[in-house]
Amino acid sequence: MVIFLVKDYKGGIYSDNSPFREKTINEIIKTIQDDQFVSQCRTECGRKGFSRNRKLTFAHLIVLLVQGLTRSLQRELNSFYQKLQNEDFSIQYIVKSSFTKARAKLKHTAFVELNKVCLKPFYDEAPYRTWHGYRLLAVDGSTAMLPNSKDIQAEFGLTSFGPYADSPRSVARCSVLYDVLNLTVLDAQLDQYKVSERQLAYQHLPSVNAETDIILFDRGYPGVGFMHKLQQTNIKFIIRLRENWWLEARKMITEGIDDQEVTYATKNGKELKCRLVLVDLSNGQKAVVATNLFDKEKFPADIFQDLYHLRWNIEEGYKLFKTRANLEAFSGKTALSVRQDFFAKVFMMSLAAVLSFPIEERIRKEQSQTKHKNKQKINRTNALAFIKYNMIELILKQKIRKGLSALDKILSKTKEIVRPGRTNPRKKIKKKPPSSNYKHL
């Protein structure tokens, strides 16, 4: 369940008049059509790629990969061109080998840049959600099982699984920097399984604005060196401490100390000053968070419980990313295709969040004026599905206003009830990733 604890908006009030959605789509179209962008996105083996008039253009390739290719490749291509050309039947227009050659010429960074293009109008012009004027960000990591091929093994290595560690598989470690109030992905990283979540977190820091952002971390991230790095760069943070690792945290829980300041020494002999706050978790247990928000008038101890609880939205984001966007349903067996699919889905997640933002706010405003027993929210799976199945209309056919109107109607009519306090135990059993050999029809 996505949680919102909104204190304000950028600019102080929410306005539904900003044209940022149309501008976002227009900027994406403009970028995809820009010759300089196309040139920057060519791989070394594709230095002359996308320079001739081909059936499979650069824009077609981008849209195909953003939509995701979960069925057999040839069926996906046939359906794509059937829809693009308004044909009655799905007839082969290009062969799958043409697609394979074309994607080999495309850098995965194309989708990284498109994600930035998508977010710029939103954070520049939209009245996005804030908490006391701050953007609330969270960092978390996960893993993804990769297809079995020599190229992927060379890039991501092999990790042994099973009770006897005799089942080697290629696994990637991923990490995202997530806006937990606006549900956008500001930055994403993909690396080998042996790379730790904390190492990937360092790579997110250039995307953080030290003046306007607060970052939430879970128990996998605290370390004196890491917190000292955040302190040095003036980045505001809230990190949950492991009770069995940190003596001060264990002491606060056993003695009931609510708020205190402590000083740690780094390996380089420097000092790290932290504020430790005791919070109550939703399961009835107590936890300790470390922060560098020292102003007790502006940040009293009793706000940290709800504030840290907002980190749960990144868990909901991963659920959407891995189950609805089918993160592990990779469409190729090369390291490049894995990176293309991963960052294309990150871009799709951000685009869905940006385009559905006004509908969510409209529903919140309507609820404040009526007496509904339970709050309601939009169905984010429907928002993601709309992007997946309507990229041709929005980007290639440029039916922007008609598309946004359709999205508004769909999300307004498929609202979901928010049931507070409803919890389900997390299942520890990892599902088998989709087969790369036997695809759905």
Side-chain angles (χ1 to χ4, degrees), residues 185-202:
V185 182
L186 276 67
D187 186 55
Q189 300 293 331
L190 189 71
D191 215 317
Q192 295 183 350
Y193 181 76
K194 66 181 181 181
V195 179
S196 71
E197 292 182 350
R198 194 186 298 166
Q199 287 175 290
L200 294 180
Y202 279 110

Side-chain angles (χ1 to χ4, degrees), residues 230 239 329 374 395 415:
L230 297 176
I239 306 182
N374 292 313
I395 305 300
K415 295 177 286 189

Side-chain angles (χ1 to χ4, degrees), residues 211-225:
E211 294 183 2
T212 61
D213 297 342
I214 298 174
I215 312 183
L216 309 172
F217 297 91
D218 69 2
R219 290 175 291 181
Y221 292 90
V224 173

Side-chain angles (χ1 to χ4, degrees), residues 29 57 59-60 63 80 84 391-398:
I29 294 170
T57 67
H60 293 177
V63 171
F80 177 83
L84 181 63
M391 283 292 289
I392 291 176
E393 285 76 14
L394 289 173
I395 305 300
L396 300 181
K397 296 183 179 181
Q398 300 184 24

Side-chain angles (χ1 to χ4, degrees), residues 22-136:
E22 286 188 36
K23 184 173 181 180
T24 296
I25 299 175
N26 281 318
E27 286 297 321
I28 291 170
I29 294 170
K30 181 181 176 182
T31 302
I32 292 173
Q33 294 176 345
D34 182 56
D35 290 337
Q36 185 177 356
F37 177 75
V38 174
S39 178
Q40 291 172 350
C41 295
R42 295 188 186 114
T43 60
E44 284 297 320
C45 68
R47 285 176 291 179
K48 296 182 180 180
F50 314 111
S51 57
R52 298 180 183 178
N53 291 326
R54 302 281 191 183
K55 290 182 178 179
L56 179 57
T57 67
F58 179 82
H60 293 177
L61 181 60
I62 292 292
V63 171
L64 270 164
L65 290 171
V66 172
Q67 287 184 168
L69 306 168
T70 55
R71 300 182 296 168
S72 72
L73 188 52
Q74 191 61 61
R75 289 193 187 93
E76 292 281 12
L77 294 172
N78 294 349
S79 297
F80 177 83
Y81 282 100
Q82 177 191 5
K83 190 174 184 180
L84 181 63
Q85 298 170 348
N86 299 316
E87 296 288 347
D88 294 330
F89 298 97
S90 175
I91 301 173
Q92 183 170 295
Y93 183 70
I94 65 168
V95 295
K96 58 185 179 182
S97 60
S98 299
F99 172 81
T100 303
K101 290 178 181 177
R103 80 179 306 175
K105 301 173 184 177
L106 177 69
K107 290 181 179 178
H108 73 273
T109 52
F111 301 103
V112 177
E113 294 304 316
L114 285 174
N115 192 60
K116 294 177 182 178
V117 171
C118 170
L119 296 179
K120 192 175 188 309
F122 179 68
Y123 285 112
D124 285 350
E125 301 180 15
Y128 61 84
R129 301 183 189 101
T130 61
W131 181 84
H132 293 292
Y134 293 99
R135 282 195 311 184
L136 283 186

